[in-house]
């Protein structure tokens, strides 16, 4: 496993076909950009990696024109053939897993293990989609009219727009595209402007696959740029579905724009995730799950653990164990496998982290593990911070807010698990949740209709680390969307009901008579 000194940046970029200055827009083999040039700086060491030329309005139009032209061709190809293209894409990702994982780690700041894991998620969803390409099932049902047959089938939507966030700069795009492609859709992607090279690298990979199979431009389109690109996509009637991952604030803007034109939205927004710790919890498992959930990706996962809701009888024991565990964390270059915690994405994120620590104290909380920005050798980027723990109340304004940083709030509860569930549900977000207990009744209550109101509810594991087999998403201000596994594919298609009359009569439904 390479450490920071062993990583050859030039070799990594060469393997991914990246240059010092990259066009940020593509329809496949055709690369172009006439917008603003912006540099990508690594939060690992503050160094410039390369630059990307963003999309102008004309560039966006070029991409959309290609996508709309490619759709009629792509949708007519048999779904198993589309699955074969995704299979080839997954195999190419296997070949490039190391350099792409390194780029994710270096450009975004997550640990190399997590960077490699993100690429593995891409591979996994490709495998899932290949099987799905032969299972796009509809339903058949009995008609009330004699000599009639009814069934439902699914058809592709058209151009799917994807807006992704910096914290998972490649996997979330793959979650969407792998499913959309086998469903017969074409895709246009706006990556985060904080990780633009990851987007260019992914487009390079799929562009080669499409070229080898003599497929037209426009099946996979890339439009790097700032929020204006997202606004163009959201307001474009030619894009029937927008899948957007990011903050709740961003999601509201996307949802309003898309709803105004009666389009469809798939929203994966903020999380304020909690682990409930009952008197029957296994403390060792609790600490492992809570620490990884709180500090993994430097607290920049939508499923990161923000709140630990602990029964008063266990509070001091859990608190002491957590403080001890935090004292063992190693913070530094994420490409060094010996480190647990890497940097935040940029200095704006650092400022938000500092503001949260100040706010929790002002609102009545107490810092149990002090935070702070790290300085000196190895921390030159200014983006490394210390994971912090604060004792707090769920009602605090800052606790109600999602802080995208490694800040964990410990909240004490008394009474029954029902009281803990009420605290957990007492926030506007509803993504991921967990309970630590060996009590079967508590676990089942947590999973029942009277339990967690989140899209993800786990027992004896943390809030972070979803598998692609299950649908991923949340409720309330998390947006209600579902991506990845299960039947999430249906959002990328339109449903059609068909009735066939194979008789010489024309009876009407509901027994209506209309004789001529």
């Amino acid at each position: 496993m390479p450490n920071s000194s062993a990583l050859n940046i030039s070799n990594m970029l060469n393997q991914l076909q990246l240059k010092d200055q990259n066009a940020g827009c593509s329809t496949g083999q055709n690369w172009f950009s006439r917008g603003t040039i912006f540099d990508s700086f690594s939060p690992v060491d503050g160094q410039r990696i390369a630059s990307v030329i963003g999309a102008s309005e004309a560039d966006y139009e070029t991409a959309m024109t290609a996508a709309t032209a490619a759709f009629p061709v792509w949708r007519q190809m048999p779904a198993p053939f589309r699955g074969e293209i995704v299979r080839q894409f997954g195999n190419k990702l296997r070949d490039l897993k190391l350099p792409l994982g390194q780029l994710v780690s270096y450009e975004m700041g997550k640990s190399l293990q997590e960077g490699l894991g993100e690429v593995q998620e891409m591979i996994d969803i490709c495998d899932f989609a290949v099987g799905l390409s032969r299972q796009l099932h509809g339903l058949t049902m009995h008609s009330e009219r004699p000599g009639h047959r009814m069934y439902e089938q699914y058809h592709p939507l058209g151009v799917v727009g994807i807006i992704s966030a910096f914290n998972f700069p490649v996997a979330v795009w793959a979650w969407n595209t792998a499913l959309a492609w086998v469903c017969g859709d074409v895709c246009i992607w706006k990556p985060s402007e904080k990780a633009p090279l990851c987007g260019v690298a992914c487009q390079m990979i799929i562009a080669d696959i499409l070229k080898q199979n003599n497929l037209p431009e426009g099946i996979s389109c890339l439009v790097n740029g700032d929020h204006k690109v997202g606004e163009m996509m959201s307001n474009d009637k030619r894009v029937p579905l927008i899948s957007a991952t990011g903050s709740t604030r961003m999601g509201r803007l996307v949802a309003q724009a898309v709803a105004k034109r009666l389009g469809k939205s798939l929203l994966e927004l903020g999380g304020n995730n909690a682990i409930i710790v009952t008197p029957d919890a296994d403390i060792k498992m609790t600490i492992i799950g809570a620490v990884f959930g709180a500090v993994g990706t430097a607290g920049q996962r939508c499923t990161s653990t923000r709140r630990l809701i602990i029964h008063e009888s266990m509070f001091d024991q859990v608190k002491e164990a957590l403080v001890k565990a935090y004292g063992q964390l190693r913070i530094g270059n994420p490409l060094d496998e010996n480190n647990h915690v890497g940097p935040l994405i940029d200095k704006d994120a650092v400022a938000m982290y500092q503001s949260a620590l100040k706010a929790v104290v002002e609102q009545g909380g107490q810092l149990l593990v002090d935070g702070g920005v790290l300085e000196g050798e190895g921390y030159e980027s200014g983006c490394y911070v210390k994971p912090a723990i604060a004792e707090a109340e769920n009602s605090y304004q800052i606790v109600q807010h999602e802080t995208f940083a490694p800040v964990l709030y410990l909240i004490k509860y008394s009474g029954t698990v029902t009281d803990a569930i009420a605290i957990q549900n007492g926030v506007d977000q509803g993504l991921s949740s967990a309970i630590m207990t060996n009590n079967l009744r508590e676990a089942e209550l947590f999973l029942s209709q009277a339990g967690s109101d989140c899209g993800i509810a786990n027992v004896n594991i943390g809030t972070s680390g979803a598998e692609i087999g299950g649908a991923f998403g949340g409720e309330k201000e998390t947006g209600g969307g579902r991506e990845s596994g299960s039947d999430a594919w249906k959002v990328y298609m339109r449903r059609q009901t068909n009735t066939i009359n194979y008789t010489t009569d024309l009876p009407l439904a509901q027994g209506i008579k209309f004789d001529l």
Side-chain angles (χ1 to χ4, degrees):
M1 185 69 66
N3 59 30
S4 57
S5 61
L7 177 62
N8 187 318
I9 305 300
S10 296
N11 183 55
M12 175 189 72
L13 297 178
N14 287 337
Q15 287 182 273
L16 297 171
Q17 304 181 61
L18 298 174
K19 300 173 291 186
D20 183 68
Q21 182 168 295
N22 301 272
C25 301
S26 168
T27 56
Q29 289 300 304
N30 186 17
W31 288 82
F32 50 91
S33 288
R34 289 158 286 188
T36 303
I37 297 176
F38 52 101
D39 293 323
S40 176
F41 290 91
S42 171
V44 174
D45 53 19
Q47 298 300 306
R48 175 185 172 278
I49 312 173
S51 64
V52 172
I53 308 173
S56 66
E57 189 170 345
D59 294 328
Y60 172 78
E61 189 59 35
T62 297
M64 274 303 306
T65 300
T68 53
F71 173 58
V73 178
W74 183 241
R75 72 180 176 188
Q76 289 295 333
M77 295 179 177
F81 172 84
R82 300 192 297 256
E84 168 60 17
I85 302 303
V86 174
R87 186 192 68 81
Q88 294 176 31
F89 178 51
N91 284 345
K92 192 64 176 178
L93 289 171
R94 287 178 170 89
D95 295 339
L96 294 171
K97 180 176 178 179
L98 179 57
L100 185 55
Q102 289 173 331
L103 178 62
V104 170
S105 179
Y106 190 57
E107 188 175 35
M108 184 269 150
K110 63 175 59 176
S111 74
L112 181 55
Q113 283 291 332
E114 291 181 273
L116 295 171
E118 186 168 345
V119 181
Q120 186 61 49
E121 281 193 62
M122 301 175 76
I123 295 167
D124 292 345
I125 196 64
C126 285
D127 288 349
F128 181 91
V130 172
L132 177 65
S133 69
R134 295 180 182 271
Q135 300 180 71
L136 300 173
H137 301 308
L139 296 172
T140 61
M141 62 281 293
H142 292 280
S143 172
E144 67 184 59
R145 290 167 283 185
H148 286 58
R149 180 169 67 87
M150 294 179 64
Y151 69 97
E152 292 180 345
Q153 61 178 328
Y154 288 83
H155 298 298
L157 288 172
V159 181
V160 171
I162 302 163
I163 301 171
S164 62
F166 74 85
N167 60 330
F168 280 85
V170 297
V172 170
W173 168 72
W175 285 2
N176 284 275
T177 50
L179 298 191
W181 284 333
V182 298
C183 288
D185 299 312
V186 298
C187 298
I188 182 166
W189 177 28
K190 180 210 169 299
S192 169
E193 56 268 41
K194 296 184 179 183
L197 291 171
C198 285
V200 175
C202 289
Q203 180 71 0
M204 285 285 188
I205 297 169
I206 186 60
D208 285 347
I209 299 297
L210 296 173
K211 180 182 179 182
Q212 292 166 16
N213 288 273
N214 298 313
L215 291 168
E217 297 283 312
I219 293 170
S220 178
C221 296
L222 178 75
V223 281
N224 263 296
D226 60 14
H227 65 94
K228 294 179 183 178
V229 175
E231 290 172 358
M232 286 188 281
M233 292 171 61
S234 299
N235 288 290
D236 196 333
K237 290 183 178 180
R238 294 170 294 180
V239 186
L241 171 66
I242 293 287
S243 175
T245 303
S247 68
T248 298
R249 182 193 64 80
M250 179 276 293
R252 284 197 180 96
L253 296 174
V254 170
Q256 290 168 9
V258 175
K260 188 175 181 180
R261 59 180 176 84
L262 297 181
K264 297 173 66 177
S265 298
L266 193 171
L267 301 175
E268 297 290 354
L269 310 176
N272 196 346
N273 316 295
I275 299 176
I276 295 172
V277 185
T278 80
D280 288 313
D282 182 311
I283 296 299
K284 182 179 179 181
M285 290 177 60
T286 297
I287 300 304
I288 294 172
V291 174
F292 175 74
V295 309
T297 324
Q300 296 173 115
R301 290 183 176 219
C302 52
T303 55
S304 290
T305 305
R306 311 287 177 200
R307 299 173 294 145
L308 213 57
I309 302 167
I310 311 165
H311 191 267
E312 58 185 357
S313 66
M314 307 281 284
F315 191 85
D316 289 339
Q317 184 181 0
V318 173
K319 177 177 69 175
E320 291 172 8
L322 277 172
V323 170
K324 181 179 179 181
Y326 269 53
Q328 299 171 11
L329 292 175
R330 292 183 295 274
I331 308 165
N333 189 320
L335 290 158
D336 184 341
E337 64 176 332
N338 294 311
N339 292 323
H340 298 109
V341 185
L344 293 176
I345 185 64
D346 56 25
K347 292 183 179 179
D348 288 340
V350 173
M352 179 180 63
Y353 156 86
Q354 292 175 307
S355 177
L357 293 182
K358 180 180 178 182
V360 72
V361 173
E362 290 177 344
Q363 292 169 26
Q366 177 186 359
L367 289 175
L368 305 175
V369 174
D370 292 335
V373 182
L374 294 170
E375 299 176 343
E377 184 178 357
Y379 305 125
E380 290 85 358
S381 69
C383 296
Y384 291 88
V385 302
K386 294 186 285 187
I389 300 176
E391 186 172 345
E393 297 291 336
N394 202 58
S395 58
Y396 293 173
Q397 184 179 9
I398 189 60
V399 177
Q400 292 284 314
H401 175 75
E402 180 191 37
T403 300
F404 228 51
V407 180
L408 178 64
Y409 303 112
L410 305 191
I411 300 166
K412 185 185 299 183
Y413 82 94
S414 57
T416 68
V417 70
T418 301
D419 301 301
I421 292 171
I423 295 171
Q424 181 215 273
N425 293 346
V427 293
D428 290 333
Q429 307 84 2
L431 179 52
S432 187
S433 59
I435 188 170
M436 294 292 184
T437 181
N438 288 321
N439 184 312
L440 178 63
R441 289 174 176 170
E442 289 180 336
E444 290 295 337
L445 178 61
F446 179 74
L447 301 176
S448 74
Q449 294 180 5
S452 170
D453 64 1
C454 296
I456 299 169
N458 299 327
V459 176
N460 290 330
I461 61 172
T463 61
S464 192
E467 299 179 31
I468 63 95
F472 179 89
E475 302 302 321
K476 302 190 293 188
E477 288 193 356
T478 301
R482 292 297 185 275
E483 294 173 316
S484 190
S486 185
D487 64 348
W489 62 272
K490 292 180 179 178
V491 76
Y492 304 97
M493 306 193 83
R494 60 181 176 87
R495 181 159 55 179
Q496 184 182 78
T497 301
N498 308 113
T499 306
I500 300 170
N501 178 4
Y502 56 89
T503 72
T504 57
D505 297 322
L506 189 60
L508 301 177
Q510 293 84 48
I512 295 173
K513 301 295 182 181
F514 188 76
D515 297 325
L516 292 177

